[in-house]
Amino acid sequence: FEPLDTPEPPPGPPADWPATGKPVSLKDQIRTVDLLGDWRALWPVRDQGSRGMCVPFAANACLEWRTLSPGTGTRRLSSSFLFQRTATLPGGAGATALGLKLGGARTAMAQDGVCRASSWPDAMMLDAEPSAAAFADAETRRTASIAYW
């Protein structure tokens, strides 16, 4: 029996690496990166503002992108509707004390769907019950195809 060779330890950080606890300076290296390119006209960036709606915005963006039509763009989906439906899942399945869960948004999309923003605008109060028209519109967009890990 012969012992296995021990691998060489990985090299340390480069000599010019900043000291521990100090951020890397990007001073003159800041650039704008346009991830959407020509798609921006068809799928404009949305601003959730200071509202804690990152999960509904992200889940809706996935569905909007999946259904994007290069000829006509996308129909905006209601993040307020998805927020309300996710936050009110039975047994707290859609939320924690820190906010909504992506898995909860996926469940709400499968159960209730998600309506167009024109049926339930994002400016609606987050604790308001969506209208019957919003629910009817959402039923046409039930999906469980949003994956998460």
Side-chain angles (χ1 to χ4, degrees), residues 14 18 25 28 40 48 50-51 71 74 87 93 97-98 100 103 106-107 111 120 128 131 133 140 145:
S25 174
D28 301 320
R40 187 176 300 277
Q48 74 184 43
S50 61
R51 299 171 76 177
T74 188
L98 299 176
L100 298 183
R106 181 179 186 268
T107 299
Q111 287 179 359
W120 194 252
S131 66
T140 67
S145 63

Side-chain angles (χ1 to χ4, degrees), residues 42-115:
L42 296 175
W43 195 50
V45 173
R46 296 170 71 181
D47 182 2
Q48 74 184 43
S50 61
R51 299 171 76 177
M53 294 178 48
C54 55
V55 168
F57 266 79
N60 278 345
C62 292
L63 186 56
E64 288 172 358
W65 183 256
R66 194 176 128 247
T67 59
L68 181 69
S69 169
T72 60
T74 188
R75 298 229 169 154
R76 286 293 182 195
L77 300 176
S78 174
S79 295
S80 290
F81 179 91
L82 186 55
F83 181 99
Q84 197 275 346
R85 301 316 302 151
T86 303
T88 58
L89 284 172
T96 68
L98 299 176
L100 298 183
K101 298 188 243 179
L102 189 54
R106 181 179 186 268
T107 299
M109 290 174 122
Q111 287 179 359
D112 297 315
V114 59
C115 68

